[in-house]
Amino acid sequence: MAERKVIEKAGSEDEKKKRRLLMLKIIPVAVLAFILIAVSLAWFTLDKALDLDSFGMKSVEQPFELKTVGNRDNLKAEILDSLGYSPVADDSNITSDENNRIYWLLDDESGMKKSIEPGSHGTLTFYVVPNRSGDMEIQFNIGLTGYTAVDNDGKTAYEKVSDEKLEKLLNGHIMFFTDYKDGNYSGFLYDETLTRTFSEYEVGKPIPVTVYWVWPNTLGQILLTSTDEYLSSENGVLFADESEERTSFADYITEHTDSYFKTENGVSEADKAAIRKMLTGQKYDPSQLASLSSMYNNADETIGTNVSELLVELTAQ
């Protein structure tokens, strides 16, 4: 891949020198095949386990089911089946009393039907189907698990990534949000957790829930404001310039630098301060942007080198 991450636009001779300094390539190996995706009902799993213990208790009706619509193109059956997820034979897939773990069917808007890379994005839609009336508060959790393809006596096998540092980078670089408007994201899912309260619904009528995901192409796309002179015009920014989302995310990223930056010595307090300045639109030293961007790109490279498939799991309870 010959593309490059450009964090600065050209102008004067000094600007051009800085541009050469801050020009960082997109790591060509940072590409994942999004071929595994599934949904499950943790609440029902617990309830069913109690019922199977046979203490004279009868399983209470599940208050809702999860439904997906789309097709199963590129879903890696051998991994999903081994984890207890069930395939489908048509364009609609819904949990039931017999099966609470199902393949997550995808439509074209998901952005996950083909391999992804830095700059990829899309929407994941699923449906809550109420089984009874009354308000429901449901917690959804999106989990990412990396797999590596290995040779096993001439056959391809898949091993789960067990490196904790790599898991953190994977979950940091692929970000989830509840809303997208006018080119900006909001409602960042801290810890990939979403809680929704449902009321005034019709029993049996599916309620759509949409989650937006993005793998930012550059660090500047995350940190810089839309008017920053060092921002690449190709990418735009995740957060609206005056949004509270920026301040909240500044707190989060400086407390979770190991989810975004690959570095042997950690992120310094000076660099953390620079991160806050960038997110809040204050003046900062561009050399710190270059240094942080290098660490961010190193993380992209680590992900692409060590992860070949990615399992996305939605759990509702």
Side-chain angles (χ1 to χ4, degrees):
M1 189 187 306
E3 299 175 70
R4 290 180 177 272
K5 291 185 176 181
V6 181
I7 3 181
E8 184 174 7
K9 57 185 180 181
S12 64
E13 287 303 314
D14 287 340
E15 291 295 308
K16 291 179 181 178
K17 290 179 182 178
K18 289 179 182 177
R19 183 172 181 268
R20 286 194 293 269
L21 170 67
L22 301 178
M23 192 175 287
L24 303 169
K25 67 179 180 180
I26 295 177
I27 307 302
V29 291
V31 178
L32 302 178
F34 247 106
I35 54 176
L36 317 170
I37 192 159
V39 296
S40 65
L41 295 171
W43 185 93
F44 184 72
T45 302
L46 173 61
D47 188 65
K48 186 175 181 181
L50 289 174
D51 186 55
L52 292 175
D53 281 340
S54 300
F55 288 114
M57 294 184 292
K58 183 178 181 181
S59 179
V60 179
E61 182 188 18
Q62 169 85 358
F64 63 90
E65 303 293 349
L66 293 181
K67 179 179 180 179
T68 69
V69 176
N71 60 67
R72 51 184 294 188
D73 293 350
N74 300 321
L75 299 183
K76 186 70 75 173
E78 52 264 50
I79 297 180
L80 291 172
D81 291 348
S82 70
L83 296 172
Y85 288 98
S86 296
V88 291
D90 53 31
D91 291 335
S92 181
N93 194 18
I94 187 168
T95 58
S96 66
D97 286 350
E98 292 75 30
N99 195 348
N100 64 301
R101 296 168 64 85
I102 59 174
Y103 285 19
W104 188 342
L105 300 183
L106 301 174
D107 58 22
D108 291 336
E109 300 299 315
S110 69
M112 293 187 177
K113 294 176 71 172
K114 298 180 180 180
S115 60
I116 69 167
E117 60 192 19
S120 298
H121 57 87
T123 61
L124 292 174
T125 299
F126 60 94
Y127 300 83
V128 173
V129 185
N131 285 335
R132 61 191 188 204
S133 58
D135 291 352
M136 293 188 300
E137 183 178 273
I138 306 175
Q139 179 176 293
F140 305 99
N141 182 263
I142 298 177
L144 302 181
T145 304
Y147 283 82
T148 301
V150 296
D151 180 76
N152 184 14
D153 294 330
K155 296 182 180 180
T156 301
Y158 298 92
E159 295 182 352
K160 180 180 177 181
V161 170
S162 58
D163 186 326
E164 183 178 347
K165 293 181 179 179
L166 179 56
E167 288 179 350
K168 288 183 178 180
L169 293 175
L170 185 62
N171 283 272
H173 280 233
I174 298 175
M175 304 170 69
F176 295 90
F177 298 86
T178 60
D179 298 287
Y180 179 79
K181 183 178 180 181
D182 299 330
N184 299 126
Y185 294 89
S186 60
F188 177 60
L189 297 187
Y190 297 94
D191 300 321
E192 286 79 47
T193 299
L194 167 65
T195 301
R196 285 280 179 87
T197 298
F198 300 91
S199 58
E200 298 183 5
Y201 51 78
E202 183 178 335
V203 174
K205 184 176 181 180
I207 307 167
V209 180
T210 297
V211 174
Y212 300 85
W213 72 271
V214 58
W215 185 349
N217 194 27
T218 65
L219 180 63
Q221 190 177 3
I222 302 174
L223 301 185
L224 304 182
T225 61
S226 63
T227 58
D228 194 292
E229 62 180 320
Y230 300 129
L231 177 70
S232 169
S233 60
E234 299 175 359
N235 301 312
V237 295
L238 295 190
F239 309 121
D241 288 353
E242 304 300 327
S243 65
E244 293 182 3
E245 195 83 26
R246 285 186 162 276
T247 303
S248 298
F249 192 74
D251 293 336
Y252 180 80
I253 191 172
T254 52
E255 293 172 2
H256 297 82
T257 54
D258 54 353
S259 294
Y260 295 89
F261 305 101
K262 175 67 183 302
T263 172
E264 295 298 325
N265 300 318
V267 177
S268 68
E269 292 302 315
D271 280 340
K272 291 180 182 180
I275 289 173
R276 288 185 176 276
K277 289 179 180 179
M278 294 175 206
L279 279 164
T280 54
Q282 301 178 55
K283 187 176 181 179
Y284 61 88
D285 183 345
S287 67
Q288 289 177 295
L289 175 59
S291 175
L292 288 164
S293 293
S294 180
M295 299 177 202
Y296 183 84
N297 287 2
N298 287 342
D300 270 352
E301 181 179 14
T302 299
I303 294 170
T305 301
N306 296 283
V307 181
S308 55
E309 326 327 312
L310 186 63
L311 172 65
V312 182
E313 293 178 283
L314 174 81
T315 302
Q317 58 183 339

